[in-house]
Amino acid sequence: MAKKLMKGNEAIGEAAVCAGALNYFAYPITPQSEVAEYLCWRLPEVGGAFVQAESEVAVGNMLFGAACSGKRVFTTSSSPGISLMQEAISYMAGAHLPVVLINIMRGGPGLGGILPAQSDYFQATKGGGHGDYRTLVLAPASVQEAVDLTILAFDLADKYRNPVMIIGDAMIGQMMESVEFPEKYREQNDPAESDWALNGAKGRESRILKSLYLDPEKLDENSFMLANKYDMMKKDEIRYELYNISEKNRLLVVSYGTMSRVIQTAIDEIGEEEGISVGLMRPITLYPFPGQQLYDEAVKPNIEKVLSIEMSVGQMVEDVERFVRGKKPVEFSGRTGGIVPTPDDVKGYIRKSLGIEK
Amino acid sequence: MAKQKEVVFAGFGGQGVMTAGQLLAYTAMEEGKNVVWIPSYGPEMRGGTANCTIVISDGRIGSPIINNPMSACVFNRPSLDKFGALVKKGGLLLINSSLIDVKSGRDDITEILVPVNDIAIKVGNPKVANMAMLAAFIEATDAVSFDSLLSMMEKKMGGGKKKELLEINHRAIEEGRKVVTGKVNI
């Protein structure tokens, strides 16, 4: 298919259509409202439905109900809206339901601001709602990757019968880049082929999708079933990208999303202008985190330190510390509130970390 | 590192800065280049300046956020005040001299005065001021070819009733080009 120039938010909407996900529930919020704006005309064209709910709490519960049908369901929102959905996300995880949740993050806490941030890392990767569960979390760094990961998210949600979340900062949603969609658009799931969906129990045993288990043995069993799925994800779903890795690297930077692109520019410039060699690891799956891969890069003898750079006050850095296991010093740099550090800022962080005066 | 071109289009809402920037981005994409178009959004848009940044590159585009662009096209005084100082040393600043009667005061960049509103009125439609500016930018920098620009315009604006509008745009582009007397290597 020919390349198109599209805003990230609109491209995410088209990617969902491409993935055969035609059941969309949402409530508008900056900076992702263009997804809803796009889908409110696009979904009717392809026989889909967009229900604008009365609140994000309602969105979460509509998703819960609709996901039971076995068809692909999804929502898009931004940080405060995602918080309001957490109860339903926990219930869906407990009931083993596939759902795709797209969070175009803004600064927080509270209502925060509307500009780009990465302040929902903890919420996305550590569960978010109550109980022993995880969501699989994907973090795109370009509009094309937002498309690719949206399509992948639906496949992974079906594969593991688990909520999958995409976290993109507002820059991913707002910027236009060229994108290509797959030639072939996927049909909607056929619930008749499902071995778990609720589609009427005619001629078969009834099925129950629930997260309530008053028998402790049963709840223990269900929770470990979930844990087994997460172990499978850790084995099969870890995705990441390395940039400028070489034996000359003195510093290993860890960063995701838009921030990682700013860092790529800074790495190019500081290498060229000052001869300082820096490598980058960009996790694409934030959960499961590429922990062993990070460890393997960090322990290389040429690496003096590991630096996590985020558009937050320091969240992913806790996972970086956890996986580096004390083998190298781990530091954090970043800004938040809607401020995206510039390549010059990043060069400053790199120099500071390495103790280089300019 | 691949050489990339960066430009900010800035003005009041309604001056067509977003459209001009998008047309440039579409054209560059059609030429097979990588492009990023980023709008200003959020509270700063209300009552202030609207602006967008376009990055064009033959290679991979790293940071989509450009704090000091190589070039800027400013359509009103607040945009000159904001972006005039941000253009990189050795860069290019195109000033809408129909509405702005001062320059940036810098001697380390190239400045070109383009009376885009006067041009637009001369060719018959005040709305095509943005095209005169875009043409001047392309003439000075060769960011894309005019052939690609014209074919993209045709594609976007279509034929039929809009043919007359297309012709006015063509005239605005011709007039915008005439203002520029030399190339600027950015």
Side-chain angles (χ1 to χ4, degrees):
Chain A
M1 194 178 270
K3 278 198 171 180
K4 288 181 184 173
L5 190 67
M6 282 181 103
K7 234 185 191 196
N9 282 335
E10 295 176 344
I12 285 168
E14 186 61 29
V17 172
C18 181
L22 306 185
N23 307 287
Y24 175 60
F25 306 86
Y27 186 85
I29 179 170
T30 305
Q32 65 74 53
S33 294
E34 292 91 347
V35 188
E37 192 185 350
Y38 183 84
L39 288 172
C40 75
W41 64 265
R42 182 64 175 124
L43 281 172
E45 277 187 357
V46 289
F50 165 25
V51 179
Q52 181 172 323
E54 68 271 33
S55 73
E56 287 92 344
V57 176
V59 168
N61 289 291
M62 286 176 180
L63 288 167
F64 187 7
C68 294
S69 75
K71 293 206 174 179
R72 290 183 161 185
V73 304
F74 70 111
T75 190
T76 61
S77 189
S78 183
S79 310
I82 296 288
S83 289
L84 285 168
M85 297 177 196
Q86 289 301 338
E87 181 191 36
I89 297 171
S90 169
Y91 278 55
M92 286 187 279
H96 302 267
L97 288 172
V99 58
V100 171
L101 311 145
I102 297 169
N103 179 5
I104 301 298
M105 292 181 284
R106 48 193 258 180
L111 265 184
I114 61 172
L115 295 171
Q118 297 179 320
S119 43
D120 301 344
Y121 179 91
F122 284 148
Q123 186 192 56
T125 61
K126 307 295 176 189
H130 59 279
D132 264 335
Y133 81 95
R134 299 293 186 121
T135 52
L136 199 154
V137 184
L138 302 164
S142 68
V143 176
Q144 182 66 57
E145 200 175 37
V147 167
D148 299 342
L149 293 183
T150 298
I151 295 169
L152 175 69
F154 286 103
D155 291 340
L156 294 177
D158 279 352
K159 179 176 173 184
Y160 293 100
R161 284 178 58 193
N162 200 70
V164 175
M165 186 174 282
I166 291 181
I167 60 174
D169 54 79
M171 199 52 71
I172 297 292
Q174 291 296 320
M175 71 182 171
M176 287 178 103
E177 287 189 297
S178 57
V179 281
E180 264 179 302
F181 293 90
E183 289 286 345
K184 201 169 152 29
Y185 277 41
R186 193 182 181 281
E187 294 287 315
Q188 286 207 72
N189 285 351
D190 181 359
E193 289 173 10
S194 168
D195 59 4
W196 59 266
L198 306 187
N199 56 347
K202 204 171 177 184
R204 63 159 170 80
E205 286 281 295
S206 62
R207 296 165 180 164
I208 297 172
L209 296 171
K210 61 167 188 173
S211 64
L212 174 68
Y213 295 92
L214 292 175
D215 177 345
E217 290 293 334
K218 292 272 189 236
L219 181 55
D220 176 79
E221 186 189 323
N222 189 54
S223 298
F224 276 99
M225 267 171 69
L226 292 174
N228 284 339
K229 294 200 293 194
Y230 309 145
D231 286 343
M232 281 162 63
M233 292 176 195
K234 283 175 195 162
K235 198 168 127 288
D236 295 333
E237 306 304 342
I238 284 174
R239 288 167 172 82
Y240 64 99
E241 185 187 36
L242 298 174
Y243 184 77
N244 200 46
I245 296 290
S246 88
E247 284 173 14
K248 293 191 187 111
N249 292 160
R250 292 180 59 190
L251 186 71
L252 178 66
V253 172
V254 188
S255 181
Y256 68 98
T258 296
M259 194 62 244
S260 69
R261 290 177 61 166
V262 178
I263 290 163
Q264 289 181 1
T265 297
I267 285 176
D268 289 347
E269 289 181 3
I270 206 164
E272 205 164 290
E273 295 159 5
E274 300 170 44
I276 302 169
S277 177
V278 178
L280 169 70
M281 173 185 246
R282 175 174 78 92
I284 297 170
T285 48
L286 298 181
Y287 185 87
F289 193 86
Q292 184 60 43
Q293 293 82 354
L294 169 62
Y295 177 85
D296 292 343
E297 292 302 325
V299 295
K300 288 181 178 169
N302 50 296
I303 298 295
E304 295 168 29
K305 284 180 177 177
V306 181
L307 176 62
S308 184
I309 302 182
E310 307 168 42
M311 283 143 61
S312 75
V313 298
Q315 298 193 14
M316 183 174 70
V317 63
E318 294 192 5
D319 277 337
V320 174
E321 279 174 343
R322 196 157 65 87
F323 288 111
V324 172
R325 306 207 293 264
K327 297 285 183 192
K328 294 285 165 74
V330 173
E331 292 175 354
F332 164 81
S333 286
R335 299 292 299 273
T336 189
I339 298 165
V340 183
T342 63
D344 284 344
D345 293 335
V346 172
K347 285 188 272 182
Y349 301 155
I350 291 170
R351 279 188 221 104
K352 188 179 158 218
S353 184
L354 291 172
I356 296 166
E357 301 272 340
K358 200 198 175 186
Chain B
M1 216 189 322
K3 175 103 174 145
Q4 69 179 29
K5 290 194 157 64
E6 310 138 5
V7 59
V8 171
F9 284 80
F12 288 128
Q15 284 184 305
V17 295
M18 299 299 199
T19 313
Q22 280 191 12
L23 187 59
L24 176 63
Y26 277 113
T27 307
M29 183 187 73
E30 206 69 6
E31 288 189 348
K33 296 181 169 104
N34 290 315
V35 312
V36 177
W37 176 93
I38 298 181
S40 60
Y41 78 96
E44 69 170 332
M45 275 179 79
R46 298 193 185 104
T49 60
N51 68 77
C52 61
T53 306
I54 299 96
V55 185
I56 301 172
S57 176
D58 291 324
R60 182 187 50 79
I61 297 175
S63 174
I65 299 143
I66 309 289
N67 285 54
N68 296 96
M70 280 309 295
S71 46
C73 300
V74 294
F75 286 68
N76 63 4
R77 182 66 192 268
S79 300
L80 172 68
D81 293 344
K82 184 169 177 187
F83 292 102
L86 295 179
V87 172
K88 250 184 218 139
K89 192 178 163 188
L92 170 67
L93 180 64
L94 290 105
I95 299 173
N96 175 12
S97 55
S98 302
L99 299 183
I100 308 170
D101 56 5
V102 294
K103 292 197 196 178
S104 68
R106 292 177 60 177
D107 55 9
D108 59 348
I109 56 172
T110 304
E111 285 179 313
I112 301 175
L113 303 180
V114 194
V116 298
N117 294 83
D118 296 306
I119 290 173
I121 291 163
K122 185 178 153 193
V123 302
N125 188 331
K127 286 183 184 167
V128 298
N130 58 344
M131 299 307 293
M133 184 65 95
L134 177 60
F137 170 74
I138 295 171
E139 181 66 29
T141 61
D142 290 331
V144 293
S145 82
F146 278 96
D147 283 347
S148 318
L149 177 72
L150 296 180
S151 71
M152 179 52 70
M153 265 174 57
E154 210 144 318
K155 205 165 146 185
K156 288 278 157 204
M157 298 172 113
K161 271 188 256 172
K162 291 179 177 166
K163 207 166 175 208
E164 195 191 331
L165 195 60
L166 202 58
E167 266 163 33
I168 291 176
N169 275 284
H170 281 195
R171 290 211 294 281
I173 287 171
E174 281 311 310
E175 295 295 322
R177 290 182 75 169
K178 277 188 209 164
V179 176
V180 180
T181 51
K183 300 284 175 193
V184 180
N185 186 24
I186 57 153

